[in-house]
Amino acid sequence: MAAAAVLSLLLVSALAGAAAGGDIVHHDDEAPKIPGCNNDFILVKVQSWVNGKEGDEFVGVGARFGPKIVSKEKHANRTKLTLADPIECCSPPKDKVSGDILLVQRGKCKFTKKAKFAEAAGASAIVIINHVHELYKMVCEKNETDLDIHIPAVLLPKDAGSALHTLLTSGKAVSVQLYSPDRPVVDTAEVFLWLMAVGTVLGASYWSAWSAREAVIEQEKLLKDGHEGLFNVEAGGSSGMVDINVASAIMFVVVASCFLIMLYKLMSYWFVELLVVIFCIGGVEGLQTCLVALLSRYRWFKPAAESFVKVPFIGAVSHLTLAVCPFCIAFAVLWAVFRQLPYAWIGQDILGIALIVTVIQIVRVPNLKVGSVLLSCAFLYDIFWVFVSKRWFHESVMIVVARGDKTDEDGVPMLLKIPRMFDPWGGYSIIGFGDILLPGLLVAFALRYDFVAKKSLQSGYFLWSMVAYGSGLLITYVALNLMDGHGQPALLYIVPFTLGTLIALGWKRGELQNLWMRGEPERVCTHMHIPLLPATPN
């Protein structure tokens, strides 16, 4: 069980990064804004009508140049769509188009050149079909000067543009409407995701601390009774728990980075299926552990929880575990089969939260030194794979993997996600397991320390570490909105808040040495005092 938990920790934490990813895959930010080419990049809805009947709605991206596209649907005109001739529009069209929207292929020439030829031919807008399935930002060359363009330009991904192209070549009458509705400043999904993450850390920390307190109580009983098992109490009290050391904390970066590169390079349908299987195995283990722990608290289920049966290759298993296991397996299998349905995110979040809570209860940070190394490594790992990796891979490896760009999935399963409720563009707000799990290990350590030291909420470390975690995650979402939806590494903000708060409080209270090295307050053993005998002559 312990080895499986550590493996799960490494696997799920390999996606410790972006709290959310942008909608436009490839960023061309090297091209600065210049006069006539300084629009913000926006997503554009392209609603189609075929032979007068409403058809499919496609999503494109607006250009840096040209006029701004209207945001209200009622202000957007339904306009006839015409196929350009020549199709790439790298030379003047053969025929004039009075007010139509031209559909053109990307081709070899510049976007601005296409727009100028289309405008000269009388087009009211230009829709460009990309040669790949992603959306690129249409920018201007640094040395371009003639940028007096008065028609909007929209780039469509290959599949959407090809669908419109097929309709036109088959003789259908197609018209489209272009508009770009504004996104809300804060979506309700982000609020619920914040509550979900904070609640998961809170619940997992209390479970971890409760288990640690029960172990301490058992230890004190043995000390008081002078039991023969006194010298083995340390091992017995931590049965089934795994303490991270400095070496394993550093090794996390290496293992997680290798796993992330493997995901990036091998990302495909079959590989996502493999990840789903791994996630389901971890989710079943987590859900089963949580359910057994909850049910065993009730007197109706205690007899089943305290009676065991030997299972081949596994060992002693309680009857309650055997009873709960089929339900957990069925739940995970149903999610895996129907994970493409609109409400499948609920099942994914339940399995994910159960796995995170279980790992935090089993895997423990023994002191602040190990916690600092672990979170510092995760901090650098997150920044590198979200931002620095663009230099070598020309795209953010973390965000590409988190969104599942090279698959038909809405991201890999190692994420908690909630659909954006009031966002006209839809999509999901997401957070990686590691953004909850890794800081959660430190917060759980703080609560265990408070329990052992018998500190109140205000005089302890747990309350302030929870406030720090919630604040760091909140700043992450603020940064996400300020950065126009660009993916943000959540640990960039969470780690300084949580780690900095614990270190500063420990230093101020004069307990930093105990927190850093021992991980627990000094305790005087009152049961081991040996009475001194009077001196006798030899």
Side-chain angles (χ1 to χ4, degrees):
M1 289 292 185
V6 174
L7 177 61
S8 299
L9 170 68
L10 292 174
L11 287 175
V12 300
S13 297
L15 285 178
D23 301 280
I24 304 168
V25 174
H26 294 270
H27 306 294
D28 215 345
D29 297 329
E30 292 81 7
K33 291 183 178 181
I34 56 178
C37 191
N38 55 7
N39 292 340
D40 292 328
F41 292 112
I42 57 171
L43 292 175
V44 180
K45 288 184 180 287
V46 182
Q47 177 64 57
S48 66
W49 282 265
V50 182
N51 291 335
K53 295 182 179 180
E54 188 171 345
D56 295 328
E57 182 182 82
F58 307 103
V59 176
V61 59
R64 181 84 90 181
F65 53 86
K68 293 183 178 179
I69 297 172
V70 297
S71 59
K72 302 290 186 182
E73 183 179 4
K74 62 183 180 181
H75 296 156
N77 296 321
R78 188 190 305 181
T79 309
K80 180 183 177 183
L81 186 68
T82 301
L83 199 61
D85 185 18
I87 188 63
E88 293 184 353
C89 202
C90 289
S91 57
K94 295 180 179 179
D95 301 317
K96 294 289 183 180
V97 287
S98 55
D100 294 351
I101 296 177
L102 274 185
L103 181 68
V104 306
Q105 295 280 4
R106 182 173 182 182
K108 301 292 184 181
C109 60
K110 296 183 293 187
F111 294 119
T112 52
K113 188 175 183 179
K114 296 176 186 291
K116 289 175 186 176
F117 283 137
E119 184 180 3
S124 60
I126 181 172
V127 175
I128 303 171
I129 306 172
N130 203 9
H131 61 279
V132 294
H133 294 289
E134 289 82 21
L135 289 173
Y136 285 81
K137 293 180 176 180
M138 294 187 289
V139 298
C140 309
E141 300 287 342
K142 292 182 180 180
N143 56 356
E144 281 192 83
T145 55
D146 186 14
L147 296 172
D148 190 21
I149 300 171
H150 299 93
I151 63 170
V154 177
L155 183 71
L156 285 180
K158 183 179 180 181
D159 52 353
S162 298
L164 291 175
H165 183 273
T166 301
L167 290 172
L168 290 174
T169 53
S170 62
K172 302 287 179 60
V174 181
S175 57
V176 294
Q177 190 179 32
L178 309 178
Y179 63 102
S180 178
D182 296 326
R183 271 185 163 148
V185 177
V186 178
D187 191 84
T188 312
E190 294 175 355
V191 177
F192 281 112
L193 198 62
W194 184 89
L195 291 173
M196 187 186 297
V198 172
T200 300
V201 172
L202 182 67
S205 299
Y206 265 100
W207 187 12
S208 178
W210 186 272
S211 301
R213 185 163 69 173
E214 287 184 338
V216 170
I217 292 172
E218 183 66 24
Q219 177 180 346
E220 289 179 349
K221 283 183 180 179
L222 290 171
L223 288 169
K224 185 176 181 179
D225 297 339
H227 218 270
E228 289 183 0
L230 176 63
F231 300 104
N232 295 323
V233 72
E234 185 71 23
S238 59
S239 178
M241 307 303 172
V242 178
D243 280 349
I244 303 173
N245 54 34
V246 172
S248 59
I250 296 174
M251 195 63 188
F252 158 76
V253 177
V254 179
V255 175
S257 296
C258 293
F259 185 63
L260 190 64
I261 293 175
M262 184 174 66
L263 285 174
Y264 177 73
K265 293 294 184 181
L266 301 179
M267 185 64 70
S268 59
Y269 173 77
W270 69 267
F271 200 74
V272 170
E273 293 294 322
L274 178 61
L275 290 179
V276 168
V277 172
I278 294 172
F279 172 69
C280 284
I281 294 172
V284 167
E285 176 67 23
L287 187 59
Q288 173 187 283
T289 304
C290 292
L291 287 177
V292 169
L294 288 173
L295 294 175
S296 61
R297 297 289 176 183
Y298 295 93
R299 57 187 179 88
W300 302 285
F301 299 101
K302 274 191 176 181
E306 295 173 355
S307 58
F308 296 85
V309 61
K310 284 190 176 181
V311 178
F313 307 108
I314 296 177
V317 178
S318 70
H319 288 94
L320 183 58
T321 300
L322 290 178
V324 167
C325 190
F327 167 78
C328 298
I329 294 174
F331 187 90
V333 170
L334 286 173
W335 170 81
V337 172
F338 299 105
R339 67 182 185 276
Q340 302 288 0
L341 295 180
Y343 295 100
W345 61 272
I346 299 175
Q348 179 172 326
D349 289 352
I350 292 173
L351 292 172
I353 290 173
L355 178 58
I356 292 171
V357 170
T358 301
V359 173
I360 291 178
Q361 198 273 332
I362 294 175
V363 181
R364 299 188 178 188
V365 171
N367 52 49
L368 188 54
K369 176 183 176 181
V370 173
S372 298
V373 172
L374 177 65
L375 286 185
S376 298
C377 290
F379 174 79
L380 297 174
Y381 161 85
D382 227 12
I383 293 174
F384 179 85
W385 289 112
V386 173
F387 295 137
V388 184
S389 61
K390 293 179 182 180
R391 293 179 177 270
W392 286 275
F393 299 92
H394 306 294
E395 56 188 353
S396 175
V397 172
M398 181 81 77
I399 293 175
V400 169
V401 171
R403 289 187 312 209
D405 285 348
K406 300 178 182 180
T407 69
D408 294 329
E409 302 278 340
D410 286 327
V412 293
M414 283 84 102
L415 301 164
L416 298 186
K417 62 181 186 178
I418 296 180
R420 296 171 185 159
M421 301 175 187
F422 300 104
D423 192 333
W425 298 101
Y428 292 89
S429 291
I430 63 174
I431 183 170
F433 282 2
D435 299 330
I436 304 172
L437 197 155
L438 297 177
L441 291 172
L442 190 66
V443 175
F445 159 75
L447 185 57
R448 289 197 304 271
Y449 186 92
D450 288 354
F451 270 22
V452 174
K454 298 179 180 179
K455 289 179 177 289
S456 65
L457 273 179
Q458 289 186 346
S459 64
Y461 295 93
F462 170 68
L463 174 63
W464 307 112
S465 61
M466 275 300 306
V467 170
Y469 175 73
S471 301
L473 188 58
L474 181 63
I475 295 299
T476 302
Y477 286 113
V478 171
L480 190 67
N481 288 310
L482 291 177
M483 298 296 179
D484 195 26
H486 288 48
Q488 292 295 302
L491 294 181
L492 171 64
Y493 308 96
I494 293 173
V495 169
F497 270 80
T498 52
L499 198 56
T501 298
L502 274 179
I503 292 175
L505 275 178
W507 176 78
K508 182 179 179 181
R509 295 171 177 176
E511 297 179 331
L512 185 57
Q513 182 67 23
N514 272 343
L515 286 167
W516 189 262
M517 298 303 298
R518 290 172 51 87
E520 59 181 24
E522 293 183 4
R523 288 182 292 168
V524 177
C525 181
T526 59
H527 309 292
M528 293 296 289
H529 291 165
I530 302 174
L532 295 176
L533 297 177
T536 55
N538 291 334

